Amino acid sequence: MKTQSILLRYHEIAIKGDNRNWFEKCLVQNIKKTLQRTLGQNAPIDLQRIYGRILLNTEWNSLTSECLQKIFGISNFSPIQKVQTNLDSILLGILNESQTYITENGYPQSFRIKTRRSEKALEKTSAELNQYFGSEILKNFPAFKVDLKNPELTLGIEIRRKESFIWSQKILGSGGLPVGTQSPVLALLSGGLDSPVAAIQIMKRGSPTSYIHFYGTPFVGKESLQKIENLVRVLNRYQPSPQPLYIIPFGSIQEKIAQVTQPKFRTILYRRMMIRISNEIALKIKAKALLTGESVGQVASQTIENISTIESVSQIPIFRPFVASNKDEIITKAKIWGTYCISIQPALDCCTLFADHHPALHSELNQVQAQEKLFSVQELMKTALQSAEMMIL
Ligand code: ATP
Ligand code: MG
């Protein structure tokens, strides 16, 4: 297996001063853990922090590239050649790089040189170096055409004091912040399209994310749970360590609520129970917020009044990354992140069990609280928490 040096870049904007050290350490650890999970514990993985960048030496194949694309905090990366920092060695490097490009892709329509002096090592400015190397390339490859705005081939040179880097490929990463740079969150995960994507969005802001699913057993089949497990497997690829999934058997609890309450309030009552139970689990695992895939107006339980009636039982914030997104925007993301194919598989969610065809659209808190006097919230919560199961996938 070929080992390759890869230059990893991250956005520097959020990480000034002391922050940078902590941010980089977290990112380096995440890269190591994620690559080990993908390539195997014994795969060669050497990581070095060099100012403003991370240098990785590892096996280079499509798996490595896909894996790096899922690590939040990396904005883009390039396989590189290392050369000594002097004009002749750098020139030889970019000539080799051009030749390799031609062998693999044919002659490029156009090219440019992009020099970045990370350390001021040579006696020329970046613009002077671009001109110098550009004219040398044209001498060696007279068919090349310069295009500074939109070239097919960019030959990148990153100048450092002793060793410089040459690259011709920049692969886009996912950006965001390294998972672990923000506090943990607990995601309420249904088998639908929205909540899995919402979970990835919050990981992208740096929060390790655990999952909780309310399982409509015995009124929904095993396929509902299977679907959740498959989704969690995909979601866990976006964080360095797989996080736990809590499963709460919920069908019998819903049945008890449905036996004594008005049909039009049931979905709201279920959802308030879900939030209360999720608060307890969050407290236990030190998650600082809950997360849902809700979007205003998408379904009856997501009117502003109903969202507020549901949220009033929460002691911690509830994040809703898609509150103002359209379904098609969420679907586009689901396809990019790889959850779409699983989410569209048919399986019943517990929310619809014993629910009314005409649910209350503008619930008032006192009406809902009156319904909750008809059963023991505490007892149902106790049952739910006692029967909770945890798994790591
Ligand atoms: P999704 O596509 O995520 O299922 P949705 O548009 O179908 O969302 P609802 O079914 O009303 O909307 O659910 C709203 C949110 O409540 C979901 O995004 C999810 O976060 C949470 N939720 C719904 N059902 C469950 C469940 N069975 N277990 C855990 N969370 C759930
Ligand atoms: Mg749903």
Side-chain angles (χ1 to χ4, degrees):
M1 182 71 61
K2 206 173 124 200
T3 307
Q4 169 79 51
S5 296
I6 303 152
L7 187 66
L8 306 171
R9 306 180 186 86
Y10 51 79
H11 289 298
E12 290 174 56
I13 199 136
I15 44 164
K16 298 215 170 79
D18 292 346
N19 232 355
R20 178 195 287 268
N21 189 29
W22 171 67
F23 174 100
E24 282 188 356
K25 264 193 190 157
C26 183
L27 184 54
V28 163
Q29 268 180 11
N30 290 359
I31 294 166
K32 190 162 186 186
K33 278 191 195 162
T34 314
L35 284 175
Q36 272 176 342
R37 265 168 71 200
T38 312
L39 303 175
Q41 291 293 326
N42 297 325
I45 299 165
D46 173 54
L47 284 149
Q48 251 174 290
R49 288 161 59 193
I50 50 176
Y51 191 78
R53 303 274 194 251
I54 291 167
L55 196 58
L56 164 68
N57 283 298
T58 194
E59 289 172 8
W60 180 244
N61 52 35
S62 57
L63 205 62
T64 315
S65 181
E66 271 170 38
C67 183
L68 292 173
Q69 284 181 296
K70 291 194 175 77
I71 300 175
F72 293 126
I74 299 174
S75 55
N76 57 62
F77 53 96
S78 299
I80 55 160
Q81 268 186 73
K82 287 185 196 167
V83 296
Q84 296 218 326
T85 299
N86 59 61
L87 291 181
D88 291 346
S89 303
I90 294 173
L91 177 58
L92 196 63
I94 55 171
L95 290 173
N96 282 339
E97 195 75 24
S98 307
Q99 193 54 60
T100 310
Y101 185 89
I102 294 166
T103 311
E104 287 173 2
N105 307 286
Y107 261 75
Q109 293 285 330
S110 54
F111 89 107
R112 75 171 158 185
I113 305 275
K114 197 173 172 197
T115 309
R116 179 180 190 268
R117 291 197 310 157
S118 305
E119 290 165 331
K120 309 285 174 248
L122 297 173
E123 294 290 299
K124 290 178 192 289
T125 63
S126 298
E128 285 166 350
L129 289 167
N130 285 342
Q131 269 185 3
Y132 169 73
F133 289 122
S135 60
E136 290 298 317
I137 287 281
L138 287 172
K139 276 186 210 156
N140 284 275
F141 300 101
F144 273 28
K145 299 254 172 318
V146 177
D147 179 351
L148 298 181
K149 284 215 175 96
N150 193 21
E152 179 185 323
L153 168 66
T154 294
L155 290 165
I157 308 168
E158 185 148 333
I159 311 268
R160 293 185 172 259
R161 205 161 292 131
K162 286 196 182 132
E163 245 182 359
S164 292
F165 308 142
I166 312 278
W167 53 267
S168 58
Q169 237 193 103
K170 207 180 230 187
I171 302 160
L172 215 57
S174 293
L177 301 174
V179 175
T181 54
Q182 294 293 318
S183 295
V185 162
L186 178 63
L188 280 80
L189 202 64
S190 73
L193 278 159
D194 310 334
S195 47
V197 189
I200 298 179
Q201 292 294 120
I202 201 70
M203 291 176 200
K204 189 173 173 181
R205 297 311 303 159
S207 287
T209 303
S210 305
Y211 321 93
I212 184 165
H213 175 67
F214 295 87
Y215 178 30
T217 182
F219 306 105
V220 304
K222 276 247 177 277
E223 67 284 352
S224 299
L225 193 56
Q226 199 66 54
K227 196 175 172 186
I228 295 296
E229 291 175 15
N230 289 340
L231 281 168
V232 167
R233 283 192 190 94
V234 173
L235 300 185
N236 271 337
R237 287 186 210 144
Y238 293 89
Q239 31 193 0
S241 311
Q243 297 298 309
L245 162 66
Y246 291 86
I247 296 154
I248 313 288
F250 202 55
S252 305
I253 291 174
Q254 290 176 276
E255 189 184 28
K256 290 213 172 84
I257 295 174
Q259 277 164 357
V260 293
T261 53
Q262 274 186 44
K264 66 175 184 175
F265 291 118
R266 282 176 194 162
T267 305
I268 296 168
L269 295 165
Y270 302 156
R271 304 296 306 280
R272 277 165 64 94
M273 286 305 289
M274 286 185 185
I275 298 294
R276 289 188 182 102
I277 296 163
S278 302
N279 266 255
E280 291 298 318
I281 299 284
L283 189 70
K284 193 176 127 189
I285 62 170
K286 300 192 166 64
K288 301 292 182 236
L290 302 181
L291 174 124
T292 74
E294 287 165 309
S295 150
V296 165
Q298 204 184 75
V299 289
S301 60
Q302 297 174 20
T303 61
I304 292 174
E305 289 84 348
N306 288 350
I307 285 179
S308 100
T309 308
I310 293 165
E311 126 176 315
S312 67
V313 291
S314 191
Q315 312 292 318
I316 54 177
I318 302 178
F319 294 152
R320 302 175 181 88
F322 295 134
V323 71
S325 296
N326 296 336
K327 198 78 183 183
D328 53 349
E329 293 165 334
I330 302 169
I331 287 175
T332 303
K333 289 210 162 86
K335 287 181 179 166
I336 294 171
W337 299 125
T339 55
Y340 180 79
C341 292
I342 304 175
S343 286
I344 57 169
Q345 287 161 14
L348 214 59
D349 185 41
C350 69
C351 279
T352 49
L353 292 176
F354 320 110
D356 201 23
H357 289 303
H358 301 287
L361 291 179
H362 309 286
S363 63
E364 285 174 28
L365 191 55
N366 57 359
Q367 295 174 309
V368 174
Q369 284 168 333
Q371 292 292 306
E372 282 174 349
K373 297 227 162 67
L374 304 173
F375 59 94
S376 168
V377 169
Q378 285 313 318
E379 213 154 281
L380 292 189
M381 274 185 67
K382 207 169 131 194
T383 311
L385 291 165
Q386 275 169 354
S387 54
E389 275 179 44
M390 189 272 270
M391 57 172 94
I392 296 183
L393 296 160

